[in-house]
Amino acid sequence: MAGICSILSRAAIIICCILELGVSYSWFRKMFKIHMGCAPLQYRIHLNVQHASELLLRTDLTVKEIAFRSGFESEAYFCRQFRQKQGMSPTEYRMGK
């Protein structure tokens, strides 16, 4: 099932995990939040922003390309999430402000 899950959307991956564990989504989400401190989607966004932060500092890729390589479906959504998590825009982060 892992091979199938690797090509599915984020929501489908969570569903695959739930099915493999044999638990309800509400139980899975509750346990995830207890152990990780946030909901599964918020954790995934956090990981995506961390990855983007590394790319911003280590590459010359455009913000748009970094957004897509980091798992965001639009540059605008990426910039909003990045600012919310890092306290500055991706461009400001890259420039070291």
Side-chain angles (χ1 to χ4, degrees):
M1 187 169 245
I4 294 170
C5 289
S6 67
I7 61 171
L8 299 175
S9 69
R10 287 184 206 129
I13 291 170
I14 291 172
I15 291 168
C16 283
C17 292
I18 291 166
L19 291 173
E20 286 182 18
L21 293 172
V23 299
S24 69
Y25 174 72
S26 60
W27 183 89
F28 173 79
R29 188 177 189 280
K30 181 179 178 181
M31 290 298 114
F32 190 95
K33 192 169 184 176
I34 287 170
H35 293 284
M36 300 305 292
C38 61
L41 179 59
Q42 290 304 310
Y43 183 73
R44 183 64 188 156
I45 291 170
H46 170 75
L47 293 177
N48 291 357
V49 168
Q50 278 187 325
H51 182 252
S53 297
E54 291 176 22
L55 291 176
L56 284 165
L57 295 177
R58 297 174 193 227
T59 71
D60 292 326
L61 297 170
T62 66
V63 171
K64 184 175 186 172
E65 190 165 351
I66 289 172
F68 291 115
R69 286 189 182 199
S70 299
F72 292 91
E73 295 181 14
S74 80
E75 182 180 3
Y77 180 67
F78 163 67
C79 289
R80 279 194 310 275
Q81 291 299 317
F82 193 93
R83 182 178 293 277
Q84 183 180 16
K85 303 287 186 206
Q86 300 289 53
M88 62 184 77
S89 74
T91 304
E92 291 169 335
Y93 186 87
R94 176 175 265 167
M95 294 175 8
K97 291 187 177 180

Coordinates of all heavy atoms in Angstrom, one line a residue:
M1 N 0.8 -1.2 0.0 CA 0.0 0.0 0.0 C 0.9 1.3 0.0 O 0.4 2.3 -0.5 CB -1.0 0.0 1.2 CG -2.0 1.1 1.2 SD -3.2 0.9 2.4 CE -4.6 0.7 1.3
A2 N 2.1 1.2 0.5 CA 2.9 2.4 0.6 C 3.2 2.9 -0.8 O 3.3 4.1 -1.0 CB 4.2 2.1 1.3
G3 N 3.4 2.1 -1.8 CA 3.6 2.5 -3.2 C 2.5 3.3 -3.7 O 2.6 4.3 -4.4
I4 N 1.3 2.9 -3.4 CA 0.1 3.6 -3.9 C 0.0 4.9 -3.2 O -0.3 5.9 -3.8 CB -1.2 2.7 -3.6 CG1 -1.2 1.5 -4.4 CG2 -2.5 3.5 -3.8 CD1 -2.3 0.5 -4.0
C5 N 0.2 4.9 -1.9 CA 0.1 6.2 -1.1 C 1.1 7.2 -1.6 O 0.8 8.4 -1.5 CB 0.4 5.9 0.4 SG -1.0 5.0 1.2
S6 N 2.3 6.8 -2.1 CA 3.3 7.8 -2.5 C 2.8 8.7 -3.7 O 3.3 9.8 -3.9 CB 4.6 7.1 -2.8 OG 4.4 6.3 -4.0
I7 N 1.8 8.2 -4.4 CA 1.3 9.0 -5.6 C 0.0 9.7 -5.3 O -0.5 10.4 -6.2 CB 1.2 8.1 -6.8 CG1 0.2 7.0 -6.6 CG2 2.6 7.6 -7.2 CD1 -0.1 6.3 -7.9
L8 N -0.5 9.6 -4.1 CA -1.8 10.2 -3.8 C -1.6 11.6 -3.2 O -0.5 11.9 -2.7 CB -2.6 9.3 -2.9 CG -2.9 7.9 -3.5 CD1 -3.6 7.1 -2.4 CD2 -3.8 8.0 -4.7
S9 N -2.7 12.3 -3.1 CA -2.7 13.6 -2.4 C -2.5 13.5 -0.9 O -2.6 12.4 -0.4 CB -4.0 14.3 -2.7 OG -5.1 13.7 -1.9
R10 N -2.2 14.6 -0.3 CA -2.0 14.6 1.2 C -3.1 14.0 1.9 O -3.0 13.2 2.8 CB -1.7 16.0 1.7 CG -0.4 16.5 1.3 CD -0.2 17.9 1.9 NE 0.8 18.6 1.1 CZ 0.6 19.8 0.6 NH1 -0.5 20.5 0.9 NH2 1.5 20.3 -0.2
A11 N -4.3 14.4 1.5 CA -5.5 13.9 2.2 C -5.6 12.4 2.0 O -6.0 11.7 3.0 CB -6.8 14.6 1.7
A12 N -5.3 11.9 0.9 CA -5.4 10.5 0.6 C -4.3 9.7 1.4 O -4.6 8.6 1.8 CB -5.3 10.2 -0.9
I13 N -3.2 10.3 1.6 CA -2.1 9.7 2.4 C -2.6 9.5 3.8 O -2.4 8.4 4.4 CB -0.8 10.5 2.3 CG1 -0.2 10.4 0.9 CG2 0.2 10.0 3.4 CD1 0.9 11.3 0.6
I14 N -3.2 10.5 4.4 CA -3.8 10.4 5.7 C -4.8 9.3 5.8 O -4.8 8.5 6.7 CB -4.3 11.8 6.2 CG1 -3.2 12.8 6.4 CG2 -5.1 11.6 7.5 CD1 -3.6 14.2 6.7
I15 N -5.7 9.2 4.8 CA -6.7 8.2 4.7 C -6.0 6.8 4.7 O -6.4 5.9 5.4 CB -7.7 8.4 3.6 CG1 -8.5 9.7 3.9 CG2 -8.5 7.2 3.4 CD1 -9.3 10.2 2.7
C16 N -5.0 6.7 3.9 CA -4.2 5.4 3.8 C -3.7 5.0 5.2 O -3.8 3.9 5.6 CB -3.1 5.5 2.8 SG -3.6 5.4 1.1
C17 N -3.1 6.0 5.9 CA -2.6 5.7 7.2 C -3.7 5.2 8.1 O -3.5 4.3 8.9 CB -1.9 6.9 7.8 SG -0.4 7.4 6.9
I18 N -4.8 5.9 8.1 CA -5.9 5.5 9.0 C -6.4 4.1 8.7 O -6.6 3.3 9.6 CB -7.0 6.6 8.8 CG1 -6.6 7.9 9.4 CG2 -8.3 6.1 9.5 CD1 -7.5 9.1 9.0
L19 N -6.5 3.8 7.4 CA -7.0 2.5 7.0 C -6.0 1.4 7.4 O -6.4 0.4 7.9 CB -7.2 2.4 5.5 CG -8.4 3.3 4.9 CD1 -8.4 3.2 3.4 CD2 -9.7 2.7 5.5
E20 N -4.7 1.7 7.3 CA -3.7 0.7 7.7 C -3.7 0.5 9.2 O -3.4 -0.6 9.7 CB -2.3 1.2 7.2 CG -2.1 1.0 5.7 CD -0.7 1.4 5.2 OE1 0.2 1.5 6.1 OE2 -0.6 1.6 4.0
L21 N -3.9 1.6 9.9 CA -4.0 1.5 11.4 C -5.3 0.9 11.9 O -5.4 0.4 13.0 CB -3.7 2.9 12.0 CG -2.4 3.5 11.9 CD1 -2.3 4.9 12.4 CD2 -1.3 2.6 12.6
G22 N -6.4 1.0 11.1 CA -7.7 0.5 11.5 C -8.3 1.4 12.5 O -9.0 0.9 13.4
V23 N -8.1 2.7 12.4 CA -8.7 3.7 13.4 C -9.5 4.7 12.7 O -9.4 4.9 11.4 CB -7.6 4.3 14.3 CG1 -6.9 3.3 15.1 CG2 -6.7 5.2 13.4
S24 N -10.3 5.5 13.4 CA -11.1 6.6 12.8 C -10.2 7.8 12.6 O -9.2 7.9 13.3 CB -12.3 7.0 13.7 OG -11.8 7.6 14.9
Y25 N -10.6 8.7 11.7 CA -9.8 9.9 11.5 C -9.8 10.8 12.7 O -8.7 11.3 13.1 CB -10.4 10.7 10.3 CG -9.6 12.0 10.2 CD1 -8.3 12.1 9.7 CD2 -10.2 13.2 10.6 CE1 -7.6 13.3 9.6 CE2 -9.5 14.4 10.5 CZ -8.2 14.4 10.0 OH -7.5 15.6 9.9
S26 N -10.9 10.9 13.4 CA -10.9 11.7 14.6 C -9.9 11.2 15.7 O -9.2 12.0 16.3 CB -12.3 11.8 15.2 OG -12.8 10.6 15.5
W27 N -9.9 9.9 15.8 CA -8.9 9.3 16.8 C -7.5 9.6 16.3 O -6.6 10.0 17.1 CB -9.2 7.8 17.0 CG -8.3 7.2 18.0 CD1 -8.5 7.1 19.3 CD2 -7.0 6.6 17.8 NE1 -7.5 6.5 20.0 CE2 -6.5 6.2 19.1 CE3 -6.2 6.5 16.7 CZ2 -5.2 5.6 19.2 CZ3 -4.9 5.9 16.9 CH2 -4.5 5.4 18.1
F28 N -7.2 9.3 15.1 CA -5.9 9.5 14.5 C -5.5 11.0 14.7 O -4.3 11.3 15.2 CB -5.9 9.2 13.0 CG -4.6 9.5 12.4 CD1 -3.5 8.7 12.5 CD2 -4.5 10.7 11.6 CE1 -2.3 9.0 11.9 CE2 -3.3 11.0 10.9 CZ -2.2 10.2 11.1
R29 N -6.3 11.9 14.4 CA -6.0 13.4 14.5 C -5.8 13.7 15.9 O -4.8 14.5 16.2 CB -7.2 14.2 13.9 CG -6.8 15.7 13.8 CD -8.0 16.4 13.1 NE -7.7 17.8 12.8 CZ -7.7 18.7 13.7 NH1 -8.0 18.5 15.0 NH2 -7.3 20.0 13.4
K30 N -6.6 13.2 16.8 CA -6.5 13.5 18.3 C -5.1 13.0 18.8 O -4.4 13.7 19.5 CB -7.6 12.9 19.0 CG -7.6 13.2 20.5 CD -8.7 12.5 21.2 CE -8.7 12.7 22.7 NZ -9.8 12.1 23.4
M31 N -4.8 11.8 18.5 CA -3.5 11.2 18.9 C -2.3 11.9 18.3 O -1.3 12.2 18.9 CB -3.4 9.7 18.6 CG -4.4 8.8 19.4 SD -4.0 8.9 21.2 CE -5.5 9.7 21.8
F32 N -2.4 12.2 17.0 CA -1.4 13.0 16.3 C -1.1 14.3 17.0 O 0.0 14.7 17.3 CB -1.7 13.2 14.9 CG -0.6 13.7 14.0 CD1 0.2 12.8 13.3 CD2 -0.3 15.1 14.0 CE1 1.2 13.3 12.5 CE2 0.7 15.5 13.2 CZ 1.5 14.6 12.5
K33 N -2.2 15.0 17.3 CA -2.1 16.3 17.9 C -1.5 16.2 19.4 O -0.7 17.0 19.7 CB -3.5 17.0 18.0 CG -3.4 18.5 18.4 CD -4.7 19.2 18.1 CE -4.5 20.6 18.4 NZ -5.7 21.4 18.1
I34 N -1.9 15.2 20.1 CA -1.3 15.0 21.4 C 0.2 14.8 21.3 O 1.0 15.3 22.1 CB -2.0 13.8 22.1 CG1 -3.4 14.2 22.6 CG2 -1.2 13.3 23.3 CD1 -4.3 13.0 23.1
H35 N 0.6 13.9 20.4 CA 2.0 13.6 20.3 C 2.9 14.6 19.6 O 4.1 14.7 19.9 CB 2.2 12.2 19.7 CG 1.6 11.1 20.6 ND1 2.3 10.7 21.7 CD2 0.5 10.4 20.5 CE1 1.6 9.7 22.3 NE2 0.5 9.6 21.6
M36 N 2.3 15.3 18.6 CA 3.1 16.2 17.8 C 2.8 17.7 18.1 O 3.6 18.5 17.6 CB 2.8 15.9 16.3 CG 3.1 14.5 15.8 SD 4.8 14.0 16.2 CE 5.7 15.0 15.1
G37 N 1.8 18.0 18.8 CA 1.5 19.3 19.2 C 0.7 20.1 18.2 O 0.4 21.3 18.4
C38 N 0.3 19.5 17.1 CA -0.5 20.2 16.1 C -1.2 19.1 15.2 O -0.9 18.0 15.3 CB 0.3 21.1 15.2 SG 1.6 20.3 14.3
A39 N -2.2 19.6 14.5 CA -2.9 18.7 13.6 C -2.0 18.2 12.4 O -1.0 18.8 12.1 CB -4.1 19.4 13.0
P40 N -2.4 17.1 11.8 CA -1.5 16.5 10.7 C -1.3 17.5 9.6 O -0.1 17.6 9.2 CB -2.3 15.3 10.2 CG -3.2 14.9 11.4 CD -3.5 16.2 12.1
L41 N -2.3 18.2 9.2 CA -2.1 19.2 8.1 C -1.1 20.3 8.5 O -0.2 20.7 7.7 CB -3.4 19.8 7.6 CG -3.3 20.8 6.4 CD1 -2.6 20.2 5.2 CD2 -4.6 21.3 6.1
Q42 N -1.3 20.8 9.7 CA -0.4 21.9 10.2 C 1.0 21.4 10.3 O 2.0 22.1 10.0 CB -0.9 22.5 11.5 CG -2.2 23.2 11.4 CD -2.1 24.4 10.4 OE1 -1.1 25.2 10.4 NE2 -3.0 24.5 9.5
Y43 N 1.2 20.2 10.7 CA 2.5 19.6 10.8 C 3.2 19.5 9.4 O 4.3 19.8 9.2 CB 2.5 18.2 11.5 CG 3.8 17.6 11.6 CD1 4.7 18.1 12.6 CD2 4.2 16.5 10.9 CE1 6.0 17.5 12.8 CE2 5.5 15.9 11.0 CZ 6.4 16.4 12.0 OH 7.6 15.9 12.2
R44 N 2.4 19.1 8.4 CA 2.9 18.9 7.1 C 3.3 20.3 6.5 O 4.3 20.5 5.9 CB 1.8 18.3 6.2 CG 2.3 18.1 4.8 CD 3.4 17.1 4.8 NE 3.9 17.0 3.4 CZ 5.2 16.6 3.1 NH1 6.0 16.2 4.1 NH2 5.6 16.6 1.9
I45 N 2.5 21.3 6.8 CA 2.8 22.7 6.4 C 4.1 23.2 7.0 O 5.0 23.8 6.4 CB 1.6 23.7 6.7 CG1 0.4 23.3 5.8 CG2 2.1 25.1 6.5 CD1 -0.8 24.1 6.1
H46 N 4.2 22.9 8.3 CA 5.5 23.2 9.0 C 6.7 22.6 8.3 O 7.7 23.2 8.1 CB 5.4 22.7 10.5 CG 6.6 22.8 11.2 ND1 7.2 24.0 11.7 CD2 7.5 21.9 11.6 CE1 8.3 23.8 12.3 NE2 8.6 22.5 12.3
L47 N 6.6 21.3 8.0 CA 7.7 20.6 7.3 C 8.0 21.2 5.9 O 9.1 21.4 5.6 CB 7.4 19.1 7.2 CG 7.3 18.3 8.4 CD1 7.0 16.9 8.1 CD2 8.7 18.4 9.2
N48 N 6.9 21.6 5.2 CA 7.1 22.2 3.9 C 7.8 23.5 4.0 O 8.6 23.9 3.2 CB 5.7 22.4 3.2 CG 5.1 21.0 2.8 OD1 5.7 20.0 3.0 ND2 3.9 21.1 2.3
V49 N 7.4 24.3 5.0 CA 8.0 25.6 5.2 C 9.5 25.5 5.6 O 10.4 26.2 5.1 CB 7.3 26.5 6.2 CG1 8.1 27.7 6.7 CG2 5.9 26.9 5.7
Q50 N 9.8 24.5 6.4 CA 11.2 24.2 6.8 C 12.0 23.9 5.5 O 13.1 24.4 5.4 CB 11.3 23.0 7.8 CG 11.0 23.4 9.2 CD 11.3 22.3 10.1 OE1 11.1 21.1 9.8 NE2 11.8 22.6 11.3
H51 N 11.5 23.0 4.7 CA 12.2 22.6 3.5 C 12.4 23.9 2.6 O 13.5 24.1 2.0 CB 11.3 21.6 2.7 CG 12.0 21.1 1.5 ND1 11.5 21.5 0.2 CD2 13.1 20.3 1.2 CE1 12.3 20.9 -0.7 NE2 13.2 20.2 -0.1
A52 N 11.3 24.7 2.5 CA 11.5 25.9 1.7 C 12.5 26.9 2.2 O 13.3 27.5 1.5 CB 10.1 26.6 1.6
S53 N 12.6 27.0 3.5 CA 13.6 27.8 4.2 C 15.0 27.4 3.8 O 15.8 28.3 3.5 CB 13.4 27.8 5.7 OG 12.2 28.3 6.1
E54 N 15.2 26.1 3.8 CA 16.5 25.6 3.4 C 16.8 25.9 1.9 O 17.9 26.4 1.6 CB 16.6 24.1 3.6 CG 16.6 23.7 5.1 CD 16.6 22.2 5.3 OE1 17.0 21.5 4.4 OE2 16.2 21.8 6.4
L55 N 15.8 25.7 1.1 CA 16.0 26.0 -0.3 C 16.3 27.5 -0.6 O 17.1 27.9 -1.4 CB 14.8 25.6 -1.2 CG 14.6 24.1 -1.3 CD1 13.3 23.8 -2.0 CD2 15.8 23.4 -1.9
L56 N 15.6 28.4 0.2 CA 15.8 29.8 0.0 C 17.2 30.2 0.3 O 17.8 31.1 -0.3 CB 14.8 30.6 0.9 CG 13.4 30.6 0.4 CD1 12.5 31.1 1.6 CD2 13.3 31.6 -0.8
L57 N 17.8 29.6 1.3 CA 19.2 29.9 1.8 C 20.3 29.3 0.9 O 21.3 29.8 0.8 CB 19.4 29.6 3.2 CG 18.5 30.4 4.2 CD1 18.7 29.9 5.6 CD2 18.7 31.9 4.1
R58 N 20.0 28.1 0.4 CA 21.0 27.3 -0.3 C 20.9 27.3 -1.8 O 21.8 26.7 -2.5 CB 20.9 25.9 0.2 CG 21.2 25.8 1.7 CD 21.0 24.4 2.2 NE 21.0 24.3 3.6 CZ 21.6 23.5 4.3 NH1 22.4 22.6 3.8 NH2 21.5 23.5 5.6
T59 N 19.9 27.9 -2.4 CA 19.7 27.8 -3.9 C 19.4 29.2 -4.4 O 19.1 30.1 -3.6 CB 18.6 26.9 -4.3 OG1 17.4 27.4 -4.0 CG2 18.8 25.5 -3.7
D60 N 19.4 29.3 -5.7 CA 19.0 30.6 -6.4 C 17.7 30.3 -7.1 O 17.3 31.1 -8.0 CB 20.1 31.0 -7.4 CG 21.3 31.5 -6.8 OD1 21.3 32.0 -5.7 OD2 22.4 31.2 -7.3
L61 N 16.9 29.3 -6.7 CA 15.6 29.0 -7.3 C 14.7 30.2 -7.0 O 14.8 30.9 -6.0 CB 15.0 27.8 -6.7 CG 15.8 26.5 -7.0 CD1 15.2 25.3 -6.2 CD2 15.7 26.1 -8.5
T62 N 13.7 30.4 -7.9 CA 12.7 31.5 -7.7 C 11.8 31.1 -6.5 O 11.7 29.9 -6.2 CB 11.9 31.7 -8.9 OG1 11.1 30.5 -9.2 CG2 12.7 32.1 -10.1
V63 N 11.2 32.0 -5.9 CA 10.2 31.7 -4.9 C 9.1 30.8 -5.4 O 8.7 29.9 -4.7 CB 9.6 33.0 -4.3 CG1 8.5 32.8 -3.3 CG2 10.7 33.8 -3.6
K64 N 8.7 31.1 -6.6 CA 7.6 30.2 -7.2 C 8.1 28.8 -7.3 O 7.4 27.8 -6.9 CB 7.2 30.8 -8.5 CG 6.1 30.0 -9.2 CD 5.7 30.7 -10.5 CE 4.4 30.0 -11.0 NZ 3.9 30.7 -12.2
E65 N 9.3 28.6 -7.8 CA 9.8 27.2 -7.9 C 10.0 26.5 -6.6 O 9.7 25.4 -6.4 CB 11.1 27.2 -8.7 CG 11.5 25.8 -9.1 CD 12.6 25.7 -10.2 OE1 12.9 26.8 -10.7 OE2 13.1 24.6 -10.4
I66 N 10.5 27.3 -5.6 CA 10.6 26.8 -4.2 C 9.3 26.4 -3.7 O 9.1 25.3 -3.0 CB 11.4 27.8 -3.3 CG1 12.9 27.8 -3.8 CG2 11.2 27.4 -1.9 CD1 13.7 28.9 -3.1
A67 N 8.3 27.2 -3.9 CA 6.9 26.9 -3.4 C 6.5 25.5 -3.9 O 6.0 24.7 -3.2 CB 5.9 28.0 -3.8
F68 N 6.6 25.3 -5.2 CA 6.2 24.0 -5.8 C 7.0 22.9 -5.4 O 6.5 21.8 -5.1 CB 6.1 24.1 -7.3 CG 5.0 25.0 -7.8 CD1 5.2 26.2 -8.4 CD2 3.6 24.7 -7.5 CE1 4.2 27.1 -8.8 CE2 2.6 25.6 -7.9 CZ 2.9 26.7 -8.5
R69 N 8.3 23.1 -5.3 CA 9.2 22.0 -4.8 C 9.0 21.6 -3.4 O 9.4 20.6 -2.9 CB 10.7 22.4 -5.0 CG 11.1 22.3 -6.5 CD 12.6 22.5 -6.6 NE 13.0 22.5 -8.0 CZ 14.2 22.3 -8.4 NH1 15.2 22.1 -7.5 NH2 14.5 22.3 -9.7
S70 N 8.4 22.6 -2.6 CA 8.2 22.3 -1.2 C 6.8 21.8 -0.9 O 6.4 21.7 0.2 CB 8.4 23.6 -0.4 OG 9.8 24.0 -0.6
G71 N 6.0 21.5 -2.0 CA 4.7 20.9 -1.8 C 3.5 21.8 -1.8 O 2.4 21.4 -1.4
F72 N 3.7 23.1 -2.1 CA 2.6 24.1 -2.1 C 2.1 24.1 -3.5 O 2.8 24.1 -4.5 CB 3.1 25.4 -1.6 CG 3.4 25.5 -0.2 CD1 4.7 25.2 0.2 CD2 2.4 25.7 0.8 CE1 5.1 25.3 1.6 CE2 2.8 25.7 2.1 CZ 4.1 25.5 2.5
E73 N 0.7 24.3 -3.6 CA 0.1 24.3 -4.9 C 0.0 25.6 -5.6 O -0.2 25.7 -6.8 CB -1.3 23.7 -4.8 CG -1.2 22.2 -4.4 CD -2.6 21.6 -4.3 OE1 -3.6 22.1 -4.8 OE2 -2.7 20.4 -3.7
S74 N 0.3 26.7 -4.8 CA 0.3 28.0 -5.4 C 1.4 28.9 -4.6 O 1.6 28.7 -3.4 CB -1.0 28.7 -5.3 OG -1.3 29.3 -4.0
E75 N 2.0 29.8 -5.4 CA 3.0 30.7 -4.8 C 2.3 31.6 -3.7 O 2.9 31.8 -2.7 CB 3.6 31.5 -5.9 CG 4.7 32.5 -5.4 CD 5.3 33.3 -6.5 OE1 4.9 33.2 -7.6 OE2 6.3 34.0 -6.2
A76 N 1.1 32.1 -4.0 CA 0.4 33.0 -3.0 C 0.2 32.3 -1.7 O 0.4 32.8 -0.6 CB -0.9 33.5 -3.6
Y77 N -0.3 31.0 -1.7 CA -0.6 30.3 -0.5 C 0.7 30.0 0.2 O 0.8 30.1 1.4 CB -1.3 29.0 -0.8 CG -1.6 28.1 0.4 CD1 -2.5 28.5 1.3 CD2 -1.0 26.9 0.6 CE1 -2.8 27.8 2.4 CE2 -1.2 26.1 1.7 CZ -2.2 26.6 2.6 OH -2.4 25.8 3.7
F78 N 1.8 29.7 -0.5 CA 3.1 29.4 0.1 C 3.6 30.7 0.8 O 4.0 30.6 2.0 CB 4.1 29.0 -1.0 CG 5.5 29.2 -0.6 CD1 6.0 28.4 0.4 CD2 6.3 30.1 -1.1 CE1 7.4 28.5 0.8 CE2 7.7 30.3 -0.7 CZ 8.2 29.5 0.3
C79 N 3.5 31.8 0.2 CA 3.9 33.1 0.8 C 3.2 33.4 2.0 O 3.7 33.8 3.0 CB 3.9 34.2 -0.2 SG 5.1 34.1 -1.5
R80 N 1.8 33.2 2.0 CA 1.0 33.4 3.2 C 1.5 32.5 4.4 O 1.7 32.9 5.5 CB -0.5 33.2 3.0 CG -1.1 34.4 2.3 CD -2.7 34.3 2.3 NE -3.2 33.0 1.9 CZ -3.5 32.7 0.6 NH1 -3.2 33.6 -0.3 NH2 -4.0 31.5 0.3
Q81 N 1.6 31.2 4.1 CA 2.0 30.3 5.1 C 3.4 30.5 5.6 O 3.7 30.4 6.8 CB 1.9 28.8 4.6 CG 0.5 28.3 4.3 CD -0.3 28.3 5.6 OE1 0.1 27.9 6.6 NE2 -1.5 28.8 5.5
F82 N 4.3 30.9 4.7 CA 5.7 31.2 5.1 C 5.8 32.4 6.0 O 6.4 32.3 7.0 CB 6.6 31.4 3.8 CG 8.0 31.4 4.1 CD1 8.8 30.3 4.0 CD2 8.7 32.6 4.5 CE1 10.1 30.3 4.3 CE2 10.0 32.6 4.8 CZ 10.8 31.4 4.7
R83 N 5.0 33.4 5.6 CA 5.0 34.6 6.5 C 4.4 34.3 7.9 O 4.9 34.8 8.9 CB 4.2 35.8 5.8 CG 4.2 37.1 6.7 CD 3.5 38.2 6.0 NE 4.1 38.6 4.8 CZ 5.1 39.5 4.8 NH1 5.6 40.0 5.9 NH2 5.7 39.9 3.6
Q84 N 3.4 33.5 7.9 CA 2.8 33.2 9.2 C 3.7 32.4 10.0 O 3.8 32.6 11.2 CB 1.5 32.3 8.9 CG 0.7 32.0 10.1 CD -0.5 31.2 9.8 OE1 -0.7 30.6 8.7 NE2 -1.4 31.1 10.7
K85 N 4.5 31.4 9.5 CA 5.4 30.6 10.2 C 6.7 31.2 10.6 O 7.3 31.0 11.6 CB 5.7 29.3 9.5 CG 4.4 28.5 9.1 CD 3.8 27.8 10.3 CE 2.7 26.9 9.9 NZ 1.7 26.7 10.9
Q86 N 7.3 32.0 9.6 CA 8.6 32.6 9.8 C 8.6 34.1 10.2 O 9.6 34.6 10.5 CB 9.4 32.4 8.5 CG 9.6 31.0 8.1 CD 10.5 30.2 9.0 OE1 10.3 30.2 10.2 NE2 11.5 29.6 8.4
G87 N 7.4 34.7 10.1 CA 7.4 36.1 10.5 C 7.9 37.1 9.4 O 8.1 38.3 9.7
M88 N 8.2 36.6 8.2 CA 8.6 37.5 7.1 C 8.4 36.8 5.8 O 8.1 35.6 5.8 CB 10.1 37.8 7.3 CG 11.0 36.6 7.2 SD 12.8 37.0 7.5 CE 12.8 37.2 9.3
S89 N 8.4 37.5 4.7 CA 8.2 36.9 3.4 C 9.4 36.0 3.0 O 10.5 36.2 3.6 CB 8.0 38.0 2.4 OG 9.3 38.6 2.1
P90 N 9.2 35.2 2.1 CA 10.3 34.3 1.6 C 11.5 35.2 1.1 O 12.7 34.9 1.3 CB 9.7 33.5 0.5 CG 8.3 33.4 0.8 CD 7.9 34.8 1.4
T91 N 11.2 36.3 0.4 CA 12.3 37.1 -0.1 C 13.0 37.8 1.0 O 14.3 37.9 1.0 CB 11.7 38.2 -1.1 OG1 10.9 37.5 -2.1 CG2 12.7 39.1 -1.7
E92 N 12.3 38.3 2.0 CA 13.0 38.9 3.2 C 13.9 37.8 3.9 O 15.0 38.1 4.3 CB 12.0 39.4 4.2 CG 11.2 40.7 3.7 CD 10.1 41.1 4.5 OE1 9.5 40.2 5.2 OE2 9.7 42.2 4.5
Y93 N 13.3 36.6 4.0 CA 14.1 35.5 4.6 C 15.4 35.3 3.9 O 16.4 35.1 4.5 CB 13.2 34.3 4.7 CG 13.8 33.1 5.4 CD1 13.7 33.0 6.8 CD2 14.6 32.2 4.8 CE1 14.3 32.0 7.5 CE2 15.1 31.1 5.5 CZ 15.0 31.0 6.8 OH 15.6 30.0 7.5
R94 N 15.3 35.2 2.6 CA 16.4 35.0 1.7 C 17.5 36.1 1.9 O 18.7 35.8 1.9 CB 16.0 34.8 0.3 CG 17.2 34.7 -0.7 CD 16.7 34.4 -2.1 NE 16.7 33.0 -2.3 CZ 16.1 32.4 -3.3 NH1 15.5 33.2 -4.2 NH2 16.1 31.1 -3.5
M95 N 17.0 37.3 2.0 CA 17.9 38.4 2.2 C 18.5 38.6 3.6 O 19.3 39.4 3.8 CB 17.3 39.7 1.7 CG 16.9 39.7 0.2 SD 16.0 41.1 -0.5 CE 15.9 42.3 0.8
G96 N 18.0 37.8 4.5 CA 18.5 37.8 5.9 C 17.9 38.8 6.8 O 18.5 39.2 7.8
K97 N 16.7 39.3 6.4 CA 16.1 40.4 7.3 C 15.4 39.8 8.4 O 14.9 38.8 8.5 CB 15.2 41.2 6.4 CG 15.9 42.1 5.4 CD 15.0 43.0 4.7 CE 15.7 43.9 3.8 NZ 14.9 44.8 3.1

